[in-house]
Amino acid sequence: MIRLPAPQGWPRSAQALLLLALSALLVLPLQALRLPAALLLGPMAAAAMLAGAGTALRIPPPLFVAAQATVGCMIARILPPSLGIEIVHHWLVFAGGVVSVVAAAALLGTLLMRWRVLPGTTAVWGAMPGAATVMTLMSEAYGADMRLVAVMQYLRVVCAALVASLVARLWLPAGAAAHTAGLHWWAAVPATGFAETTLLAAAGIWLGRVLRIPAGPLLVPMFAGMVLKGTGLFSIVLPAPLLAVAYALLGWTIGLRFSADMLRNAAAALPRIIASILALIALCGGFAFILHRMAGVDPMTAYLATSPGGADSVAIIAAGSQVDLPFVMAMQVLRFLLVLLVGPTLARLITRLHRAPAIAPPAADSSRLVLEDSETSCP
């Protein structure tokens, strides 16, 4: 295990240089192993290591937003305009896949709460698969420990990305090489197409902010770019170095969210949190198997479509693998929207049902019931 010196007292420039050097050091072997999303995973791991060592570095929000918009444009470049028609034609498959993953996460969160693995409603909010930032921010208002929810949510994103990337690498046929989202480092960049893409990203960021769309910088350029590309009058051009920087910014943002204080506060529950995340990943793998057998979906496509990771990180892994990217992204985006719509209500409902006894207890046990309920409600 690599042990880093505590960088708290270092100048920010020195910390930033260390982050860059460590990211490059981790990316090189990951690319040598032909691991999909190496340009995301290396910076993510480097940032998490520095965060655990106590760095004060943070990625400025505008850079993170710009990285999301860039990935949204990348997805729009690959997705066909007929995606909506495909979802309508196969709505039962998409509905079953999306609802199954959300239901499994809700059940897992309920069991963790009932078994007192985590305090109060923390387990329910932390188990919701998607919309990590929204779930984290809303959880505190409903009696959950926001720090533990944050650890669960962002650890889920990291673990799901790592597992999905490893599965994608192992799934490659013998002799095949994983490509990093189709990057061609020295390809010529058409000026008109690049200017149009820049305008699309900027307009998507602005529109997402004005309309207050969750994950708007990712979703608005993705859907708008897909429609504009379908007209034949618009082209999406993204230089490989720009995509590499966007992947690194996303990885750094996720990794740096694991502050040393957060990890110390979660240290006692960390093994159980990781076990619950791996259980959710395994359940989603089971759903992928069912999707493959019952709907005839390619196994790797089904796995990435049901993976409980973040939509942006799954998109980068899928783009670097031999899968049906439109199917994967349709399932991921639909699940993200479902969690946004019903996640908070579902978490509140589960909490309310857990607090309310189904049968009135005997009078002799009433004091014990009050004590247990107060313990369950404690953040």
Side-chain angles (χ1 to χ4, degrees):
M1 180 179 177
I2 300 175
R3 296 183 64 87
L4 295 175
Q8 300 98 316
W10 296 13
R12 284 187 177 270
S13 57
Q15 295 184 42
L17 286 173
L18 178 60
L19 178 60
L20 284 170
L22 189 57
S23 299
L25 191 64
L26 293 175
V27 164
L28 291 176
L30 293 177
Q31 284 199 309
L33 293 172
R34 296 198 286 262
L35 201 65
L39 294 174
L40 170 77
L41 297 176
M44 185 189 298
M49 292 167 65
L50 280 183
T55 184
L57 281 178
R58 291 293 179 271
I59 300 301
L63 290 181
F64 174 58
V65 167
Q68 282 188 308
T70 302
V71 172
C73 292
M74 182 271 292
I75 300 169
R77 184 179 62 181
I78 301 172
L79 293 182
S82 59
L83 180 62
I85 299 174
E86 182 179 348
I87 292 175
V88 171
H89 285 170
H90 302 91
W91 67 269
L92 191 59
V93 173
F94 285 103
V98 168
V99 172
S100 297
V101 174
V102 175
L107 175 61
L108 184 63
T110 303
L111 293 175
L112 291 174
M113 182 171 64
R114 285 187 179 276
W115 295 337
R116 310 288 176 87
V117 173
L118 293 169
T121 63
T122 299
V124 178
W125 289 94
M128 286 292 107
T133 302
V134 177
M135 294 299 110
T136 299
L137 294 177
M138 292 188 66
S139 63
E140 190 175 36
Y142 294 96
D145 186 331
M146 188 171 68
R147 296 166 301 180
L148 286 177
V149 171
V151 170
M152 282 190 71
Q153 285 287 344
Y154 296 122
L155 262 182
R156 173 183 53 78
V157 173
V158 172
C159 290
L162 288 171
V163 172
S165 191
L166 287 171
V167 170
R169 172 67 187 93
L170 294 173
W171 194 264
L172 286 173
H179 56 288
T180 309
L183 296 185
H184 302 286
W185 292 99
W186 310 116
V189 180
T192 302
F194 181 60
E196 291 173 348
T197 306
T198 303
L199 284 174
L200 171 63
I205 293 171
W206 175 80
L207 192 59
R209 182 173 299 170
V210 169
L211 299 179
R212 297 185 178 181
I213 299 173
L218 173 73
L219 297 180
V220 174
M222 185 177 77
F223 287 116
M226 188 171 59
V227 173
L228 290 171
K229 185 187 68 172
T231 65
L233 303 174
F234 188 92
S235 59
I236 298 177
V237 176
L238 290 166
L242 178 63
L243 275 176
V245 170
Y247 295 170
L249 286 170
L250 288 174
W252 289 333
T253 302
I254 294 170
L256 289 173
R257 282 172 171 160
F258 293 96
S259 67
D261 289 339
M262 180 193 296
L263 293 175
R264 276 194 294 269
N265 290 327
L270 206 55
R272 290 167 291 176
I273 291 174
I274 293 175
S276 68
I277 290 170
L278 294 178
L280 179 60
I281 292 173
L283 281 172
C284 292
F287 293 139
F289 177 76
I290 295 171
L291 195 61
H292 165 62
R293 294 301 297 269
M294 297 188 66
V297 180
D298 171 80
M300 192 62 221
T301 297
Y303 181 82
L304 289 179
T306 57
S307 172
D312 45 10
S313 57
V314 170
I316 294 170
I317 295 168
S321 309
Q322 300 173 357
V323 298
D324 183 352
L325 183 61
F327 186 94
V328 172
M329 290 314 301
M331 192 82 82
Q332 287 285 335
V333 171
L334 286 175
R335 191 187 72 218
F336 173 82
L337 295 175
L338 180 64
V339 169
L340 281 180
L341 290 173
V342 307
T345 302
L346 188 60
R348 292 197 301 269
L349 178 62
I350 292 171
T351 304
R352 200 176 302 126
L353 291 175
H354 179 65
R355 288 176 179 170
I359 302 174
D365 293 332
S366 59
S367 61
R368 184 173 60 85
L369 179 68
V370 170
L371 177 60
E372 288 182 353
D373 188 64
S374 64
E375 289 172 351
T376 304
S377 306
C378 180

